[in-house]
Amino acid sequence: MKIVAFVDSSLYAHSVIDHTIWLALERRASVELVHIVSPNEVAASNIAPIHPGGAVLLERDDTLNAKLAELERQGRERLEQAHRALNQAGVNDVQVRLCEGHTAQTMVQATQSASIAIVGKRGEHADLARLPLGANLERLVRGSKVPVLAVSRSFRPIRRTLAPVDPEAATAPALDVLAGGLLPATPIELLHVGDASEAARVRLDQAAAKLEAAGFATSARIEAGTPNVVIPQRVVLDDIDMLAVTAFGSSRLKSMLLGSLTSELLRACQVPVLLC
């Protein structure tokens, strides 16, 4: 098993490292720590005020190169610090990689040989007042073929997971990932938000049987309401440590997942979210 962990200068960086240590020790996984420097983003940030004649002025190339060199120096330093932290915690199979390129594209490329990616819910340039779903996180989840664990700002061991179930979905990648043993076999609460239909009960029973066969203790419930309200409530009331969701759903969830619903859940649920 291989973990790719993205290390940046955001408020989430320490949590990324702590979650990486936790999972690497639990699964005896190898780790690749990745830091990305994006020349295009640096250049865009250096656009000068518009000239009275209407031209957009860019800072000189040597200035851009100096800023890139400094960012690379800082990136190497962060990678070294993260490497030391993993070694001190007992994780020894660790590689580091400093990448240059478009952030989202490079993130997707870096996960090609991984089993799971770990990243902060929001990046270093995000607006903390608005707390939207980060564009790079969304592109990573859309482009990567592996599950993405988007972590919150603080770490605590994952001992209980909440997994929403959509009875109208043809597949359930999040449940498949959990049953596949990617994460430790901690208790899982299955939740359908909506009508207590026969289809919902059947799908919950099927999901519970699959997870129990894989060694997970499960419980299930059906609760009326809307997902963006009920799911955060259950996270708090049931002392949930991680939310596991299928990134692309169906029916009424299809237009919301990786859109408004996922964004709301990432903001409202102060726990890591496993996106599959």
Side-chain angles (χ1 to χ4, degrees):
M1 176 175 170
K2 178 181 177 181
I3 301 167
V4 168
F6 294 99
V7 179
D8 60 16
S9 62
S10 72
L11 296 173
Y12 294 77
H14 289 295
S15 181
V16 168
I17 295 168
D18 289 341
H19 281 88
T20 300
I21 291 170
W22 165 78
L23 185 55
L25 291 175
E26 288 281 350
R27 280 291 174 261
R28 297 183 180 178
S30 64
V31 175
E32 183 172 37
L33 301 168
V34 177
H35 180 85
I36 300 170
V37 175
S38 174
N40 289 342
E41 292 174 11
V42 174
S45 69
N46 292 332
I47 295 178
I50 296 179
H51 186 273
V56 176
L57 304 179
L58 294 176
E59 294 186 23
R60 292 177 359 187
D61 286 344
D62 57 351
T63 303
L64 291 176
N65 289 335
K67 290 192 174 183
L68 285 171
E70 174 59 19
L71 289 175
E72 290 173 357
R73 184 196 66 77
Q74 294 175 4
R76 283 190 291 271
E77 185 175 289
R78 292 188 188 99
L79 288 171
E80 291 171 1
Q81 292 172 347
H83 194 176
R84 285 197 298 272
L86 266 69
N87 287 165
Q88 290 170 1
V91 182
N92 297 311
D93 190 355
V94 182
Q95 295 180 326
V96 299
R97 178 150 52 125
L98 180 67
C99 300
E100 184 176 298
H102 183 278
T103 301
Q105 293 176 356
T106 305
M107 291 173 80
V108 171
Q109 292 169 359
T111 65
Q112 289 180 352
S113 63
S115 306
I116 186 173
I118 300 181
V119 64
K121 285 186 180 181
R122 310 182 64 257
E124 56 193 281
H125 302 300
D127 179 359
L128 290 175
R130 294 175 56 199
L131 293 175
L133 175 61
N136 289 328
L137 173 57
E138 180 170 358
R139 291 168 187 158
L140 172 62
V141 176
R142 287 185 181 276
S144 177
K145 296 181 180 180
V146 303
V148 176
L149 182 62
V151 303
S152 47
R153 286 172 60 181
S154 60
F155 168 79
R156 68 179 186 183
I158 295 173
R159 299 188 177 94
R160 188 169 183 82
T161 297
L162 175 66
V165 174
D166 179 6
E168 297 181 34
T171 60
L175 298 179
D176 292 340
V177 167
L178 292 172
L182 184 67
L183 300 177
T186 55
I188 297 176
E189 179 176 317
L190 300 169
L191 171 68
H192 168 61
V193 181
D195 296 332
S197 64
E198 182 63 23
R201 293 190 181 92
V202 169
R203 181 53 67 92
L204 285 172
D205 288 343
Q206 291 173 340
K210 174 184 287 190
L211 292 168
E212 288 167 1
F216 290 85
T218 66
S219 59
R221 70 166 63 228
I222 297 174
E223 192 158 331
T226 56
N228 61 312
V229 173
V230 174
I231 293 173
Q233 287 177 343
R234 295 263 52 101
V235 167
V236 174
L237 294 174
D238 298 338
D239 197 24
I240 296 298
D241 301 306
M242 184 182 74
L243 181 66
V245 300
T246 295
F248 299 98
S250 63
S251 68
R252 62 176 177 161
L253 297 184
K254 186 172 183 179
S255 63
M256 294 188 289
L257 288 172
L258 264 203
S260 61
L261 177 58
T262 298
S263 182
E264 288 180 45
L265 294 179
L266 285 164
R267 181 181 63 248
C269 302
Q270 302 302 308
V271 297
V273 179
L274 182 68
L275 299 160
C276 305

